[in-house]
C-alpha cells in the first residue's frame, strides 16, 4: 500500500479503502457510492415535463419562460427550474424563437447515458493528479495582488 500511495500521491488510508472495496466487490464496487444528504425531490418525469414545457410552449402573458413563470406553472421551486435549465443548457430568454444550444441532451436518459460513458471511460484508465506548477508559481499572482492592494491603501 505504501508504494501505491506514493506512486499515486494518495494517503495510505485512501489506498487501503479502495483496495478493500475492490477485494470485497470487484471492479463494480469502485464506482461512486450513494452520497449522503437529501435524495432527489424531482423525478425523471418531472424533469422531462419542465424540459418539454420549456421547448414546446410559451406562457400566456410573455414571449418566453422565466424561472418564476415556469415555477408557478409546474409548482416546483425557481431554483429547481434553474438547475434543470442549466443541466440541459436551456436559456429561453436568449432569443425570440427559442432553440436549445447545440450538443445538448434532449432527455434525462440521454444525459445520464453521456455521464455514464464519461465516467466509465475515466474509470477505465485512471491517472493520478500531477501538479505541473510549483506552489510559488501558483501563488505568485495572489502575492502581486496583495502587494498592490497594500500600496493603494497607503
Amino acid at each position: 500500500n505504501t508504494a501505491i500511495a506514493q506512486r499515486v500521491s494518495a494517503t495510505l488510508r485512501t489506498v487501503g479503502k479502495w483496495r478493500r472495496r475492490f477485494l470485497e466487490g470487484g471492479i463494480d464496487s469502485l464506482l461512486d457510492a450513494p452520497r449522503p444528504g437529501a435524495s432527489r425531490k424531482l423525478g425523471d418525469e418531472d424533469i422531462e415535463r419542465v424540459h418539454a414545457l420549456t421547448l414546446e410552449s410559451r406562457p400566456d402573458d410573455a414571449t418566453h419562460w422565466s424561472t418564476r413563470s415556469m415555477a408557478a406553472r409546474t409548482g416546483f421551486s425557481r431554483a429547481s427550474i434553474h438547475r434543470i435549465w442549466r443541466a440541459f443548457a436551456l436559456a429561453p430568454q436568449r432569443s425570440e424563437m427559442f432553440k436549445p444550444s447545440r450538443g445538448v441532451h434532449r432527455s434525462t436518459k440521454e444525459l445520464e447515458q453521456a455521464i455514464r460513458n464519461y465516467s466509465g471511460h475515466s474509470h477505465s484508465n485512471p491517472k493520478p493528479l500531477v501538479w505541473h506548477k510549483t506552489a510559488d508559481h501558483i501563488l505568485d499572482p495572489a502575492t502581486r495582488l496583495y502587494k498592490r492592494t497594500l500600496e493603494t491603501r497607503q
Side-chain angles (χ1 to χ4, degrees), residues 100-116:
S101 305
R102 291 194 320 167
V104 173
H105 306 288
R106 300 270 181 213
S107 69
T108 53
K109 289 182 176 72
E110 219 177 281
L111 177 62
E112 287 173 356
Q113 186 58 46
I115 292 169
R116 278 192 203 94

Side-chain angles (χ1 to χ4, degrees), residues 69-85:
S69 60
M70 183 61 76
R73 170 83 181 267
T74 59
F76 305 139
S77 71
R78 290 185 349 218
S80 294
I81 301 299
H82 179 73
R83 281 191 297 272
I84 293 168
W85 285 357

Side-chain angles (χ1 to χ4, degrees), residues 64-154:
H64 60 268
W65 289 105
S66 67
T67 54
R68 288 177 190 210
S69 60
M70 183 61 76
R73 170 83 181 267
T74 59
F76 305 139
S77 71
R78 290 185 349 218
S80 294
I81 301 299
H82 179 73
R83 281 191 297 272
I84 293 168
W85 285 357
R86 192 175 60 225
F88 290 98
L90 300 174
Q93 76 280 7
R94 292 209 176 175
S95 68
E96 198 170 308
M97 292 302 293
F98 170 67
K99 292 182 181 176
S101 305
R102 291 194 320 167
V104 173
H105 306 288
R106 300 270 181 213
S107 69
T108 53
K109 289 182 176 72
E110 219 177 281
L111 177 62
E112 287 173 356
Q113 186 58 46
I115 292 169
R116 278 192 203 94
N117 291 344
Y118 175 81
S119 65
H121 174 72
S122 62
H123 289 324
S124 66
N125 190 14
K127 294 183 176 96
L129 175 65
V130 178
W131 289 100
H132 294 285
K133 296 180 178 180
T134 65
D136 289 336
H137 187 74
I138 294 168
L139 295 174
D140 213 24
T143 305
R144 284 194 307 269
L145 177 64
Y146 176 71
K147 286 179 182 176
R148 271 191 306 201
T149 305
L150 284 179
E151 289 170 2
T152 57
R153 290 186 180 184
Q154 294 174 354

Side-chain angles (χ1 to χ4, degrees), residues 39-59:
S39 59
R40 275 178 43 182
K41 302 226 181 339
L42 299 180
D44 288 346
E45 298 81 25
D46 298 325
I47 294 169
E48 293 275 352
R49 186 170 142 232
V50 170
H51 189 264
L53 276 172
T54 304
L55 293 176
E56 298 167 7
S57 67
R58 288 187 188 173

